[in-house]
Amino acid sequence: MRFSDKTGGIPLYELINAIGGVPAHGLDLNRTVYGYSTDSRRIGENEIFIGIHGEKANGCDYVGDAVKNGAICAITDKPTSDELPTVLVKDTASAIAEIGRYFRRRYDVMTVAVTGSVGKTTTKEYTSCVLSRKFTVCKTDGNMNNELGVPMTLMKLGPEHGAAVIEMGMSQRGEISKLVNISMPNIAIITNVGSSHLEFLHTRENICKAKYEILDGITPDGTLLINGDDELLVRNNPNKTRTVTVGISSPDVDVRAVNVRECENGMIFDAVSSEYVISDMHIPSPGRHTVYAALFAIVCGKLVGLSDCEIRAGLADYRPVALHQSISQIDGCTIISDCYNASPESMRASMNVMRQIARGRRIAVLGKMLEIGADTLKLHRDTGAYTKPALVDELWIFGDGDEENELEKGAKSAGVTTVRLGSDVDHAVKYIKENKKTGDTLLFKASRLVKLERLTDGL
């Protein structure tokens, strides 16, 4: 990956100092680095190679290939037997983290960190759209929200950027703390606390504590934004920094969405605080849950001095990310593809979106939810039962496991017709093609490992 074109390159000795590495074999420390790669086959001119320990291979085994393909040098935690230009470090993942921290300090941009069980990506996108009205924004792309993705995102920073919006995922305690100590946010956002990661953290209280690690690296003058309708977040706020609460239900939040209503192409609401009222704010995404994302973006806009008109225009620029509540038309049917991940909370929210936009039959094509802990079967059964109040006409279930059985039990107990698609993709696609009708709305949602987008791709 090339660094920003406007960076002008980074002196190699500065990067080596940043990671505390030991240069070997006559390396020219005055070389200028213009980018990096973690793939030895894709080294560009004047780039360095960083060996990463992957699931299938150890990149440090390919140092020779990287140098042969033109790398200035290789950052590795494995000494090489050949006389290769290398920088030896204790751990290459930690080295990437330190390079990310170096870029964050080199380009002192206004940084927003976003975490939460549900709605991180939507909040990140809305916030980026709003801040783009004032700054050139560097933001997280795709699933780059982990210990490697966050520093790699920061490594895209250049002198042209005025802001960065960094999404942060987690599954264990301590992960968010590491990420914020790299990114040092000026504004930290926690969207909510849900059921995701109960498998590892066991209770929602533990998940809440893990989310609040976002304060570990916030700047001294930073601002925390939280969902004031999430009682667990409000009750456990350590009050270490200035806090702004947003919400819809609670009358006690600092910024509240009132007069919330659905429209043909999204939501409309009034944003109300003690300092301002922005009436008839339109966002181009359906679902009450997306209003929270817009509220966080509005507060960020206000904190950096944007006008109401600029904020309104920024929100209007929002477009969904692939696999995140993407809405399209196929053969006269409306397809909602929300296959990136799933939890009981996001399942309910997606079904409510389908209820909002559907004009014909409402068909939920669902798979199992992962990492939701010991109560996973009950949570699947409850999700199946929610199809009735969500006004789902039919539930089509992809998969043959215990979780899918509970989805079916819940839906049947609520009186909703169910169809078992099995676990064969080709069979499921064939059934959907033969049984969907013009005017239907179909929602596709499951956890990431299910790869439910294989069904929408087949259509």
Side-chain angles (χ1 to χ4, degrees):
M1 187 187 82
R2 302 295 284 185
F3 300 146
S4 165
D5 290 337
K6 297 185 179 180
T7 294
I10 304 294
L12 179 57
Y13 68 84
E14 284 194 17
L15 290 183
I16 293 175
N17 288 339
I19 63 179
V22 178
H25 307 309
L27 187 60
D28 182 0
L29 302 184
N30 291 313
R31 292 285 299 274
T32 300
V33 180
Y34 289 92
Y36 74 95
S37 178
T38 58
D39 187 334
S40 61
R41 300 164 298 182
R42 293 179 170 85
I43 291 293
E45 185 179 0
N46 295 314
E47 292 185 352
I48 57 174
F49 171 71
I50 306 176
I52 296 296
H53 295 255
E55 294 182 2
K56 298 181 179 179
N58 181 354
C60 295
D61 293 333
Y62 297 90
V63 168
D65 291 340
V67 173
K68 181 180 178 180
N69 290 332
I72 293 175
C73 67
I75 297 176
T76 177
D77 54 23
K78 184 178 179 180
T80 60
S81 57
D82 300 319
E83 294 294 310
L84 298 172
T86 58
V87 178
L88 189 63
V89 295
K90 291 182 179 180
D91 176 67
T92 51
S94 297
I96 284 185
E98 292 304 322
I99 295 174
R101 192 198 314 270
Y102 162 84
F103 270 79
R104 170 67 176 91
R105 288 173 174 168
R106 181 182 176 97
Y107 304 107
D108 188 18
V109 300
M110 200 285 297
T111 302
V112 181
V114 182
T115 192
S117 296
V118 179
K120 294 187 294 293
T121 300
T122 305
T123 300
K124 178 258 296 183
E125 290 297 319
Y126 267 119
T127 301
S128 299
C129 287
V130 168
L131 294 182
S132 292
R133 288 286 154 171
K134 181 174 183 178
F135 306 108
T136 297
V137 177
C138 174
K139 67 175 181 177
T140 301
D141 290 327
N143 61 352
M144 301 287 284
N145 63 3
N146 55 21
E147 65 173 340
L148 294 179
V150 167
M152 286 180 177
T153 299
L154 293 170
M155 288 158 69
K156 297 189 298 182
L157 285 171
E160 73 271 27
H161 293 109
V165 183
I166 309 297
E167 181 180 331
M168 298 180 179
M170 54 142 280
S171 59
Q172 302 279 5
R173 290 291 300 272
E175 293 176 349
I176 295 293
S177 181
K178 290 180 181 178
L179 299 182
V180 293
N181 275 290
I182 297 169
S183 57
M184 298 171 284
N186 307 94
I187 300 173
I189 298 173
I190 308 178
T191 62
N192 47 49
V193 176
S195 303
S196 301
H197 311 309
L198 280 173
E199 178 181 351
F200 306 111
L201 294 172
H202 308 302
T203 68
R204 291 182 67 243
E205 286 74 14
N206 286 340
I207 295 173
C208 185
K209 291 176 182 177
K211 298 300 183 187
Y212 267 119
E213 291 175 8
I214 203 167
L215 296 178
D216 291 353
I218 196 169
T219 56
D221 59 345
T223 303
L224 170 68
L225 279 54
I226 64 172
N227 183 336
D229 290 341
D230 189 317
E231 187 272 337
L232 195 60
L233 271 179
V234 174
R235 187 174 72 243
N236 288 280
N237 184 1
N239 295 312
K240 293 180 178 180
T241 191
R242 176 193 175 193
T243 301
V244 178
T245 56
V246 308
I248 302 173
S249 303
S250 173
D252 300 322
V253 295
D254 298 309
V255 182
R256 186 182 184 191
V258 300
N259 195 21
V260 178
R261 61 264 195 208
E262 301 168 355
C263 63
E264 185 175 350
N265 59 344
M267 305 293 292
I268 300 175
F269 62 93
D270 303 332
V272 178
S273 78
S274 61
E275 299 177 358
Y276 54 84
V277 175
I278 312 176
S279 299
D280 296 325
M281 185 71 74
H282 172 258
I283 56 174
S285 56
R288 185 181 174 92
H289 62 291
T290 65
V291 174
Y292 290 99
L295 286 173
F296 287 123
I298 290 169
V299 175
C300 288
K302 286 294 184 181
L303 288 173
V304 301
L306 292 180
S307 69
D308 294 354
C309 289
E310 289 171 321
I311 293 172
R312 193 185 300 274
L315 293 177
D317 289 337
Y318 169 82
R319 298 294 181 271
V321 175
L323 303 182
H324 290 76
Q325 201 172 290
S326 176
I327 301 174
S328 60
Q329 300 293 319
I330 298 178
D331 296 333
C333 296
T334 300
I335 305 297
I336 307 171
S337 178
D338 200 356
C339 307
Y340 183 75
N341 220 332
S343 66
E345 296 83 6
S346 65
M347 283 278 201
R348 292 195 295 268
S350 293
M351 284 189 275
N352 286 329
V353 167
M354 180 170 63
R355 174 199 55 76
Q356 176 183 337
I357 70 173
R359 296 297 178 265
R361 285 194 308 168
R362 294 165 290 238
I363 301 170
V365 185
L366 306 182
K368 64 183 175 183
M369 301 172 285
L370 300 174
E371 299 182 2
I372 54 177
D375 290 332
T376 183
L377 296 182
K378 179 182 183 300
L379 292 170
H380 279 83
R381 188 166 60 252
D382 291 346
T383 299
Y386 189 77
T387 56
K388 185 67 173 182
L391 302 180
V392 172
D393 295 305
E394 294 188 19
L395 171 62
W396 297 357
I397 303 168
F398 181 74
D400 291 320
D402 292 339
E403 295 90 344
E404 292 87 353
N405 291 339
E406 294 302 315
L407 273 174
E408 183 176 33
K409 288 179 183 178
K412 283 186 172 180
S413 71
V416 172
T417 300
T418 64
V419 173
R420 294 304 291 265
L421 298 174
S423 56
D424 182 81
V425 172
D426 292 337
H427 174 269
V429 170
K430 183 175 184 291
Y431 180 89
I432 295 170
K433 284 183 174 180
E434 292 177 350
N435 289 275
K436 64 181 175 61
K437 300 175 182 178
T438 299
D440 287 349
T441 297
L442 290 84
L443 163 69
F444 292 80
K445 190 162 181 67
S447 278
R448 179 84 293 272
L449 290 180
V450 178
K451 298 181 179 178
L452 201 63
E453 68 274 10
R454 291 178 294 171
L455 303 190
T456 58
D457 290 345
L459 299 179

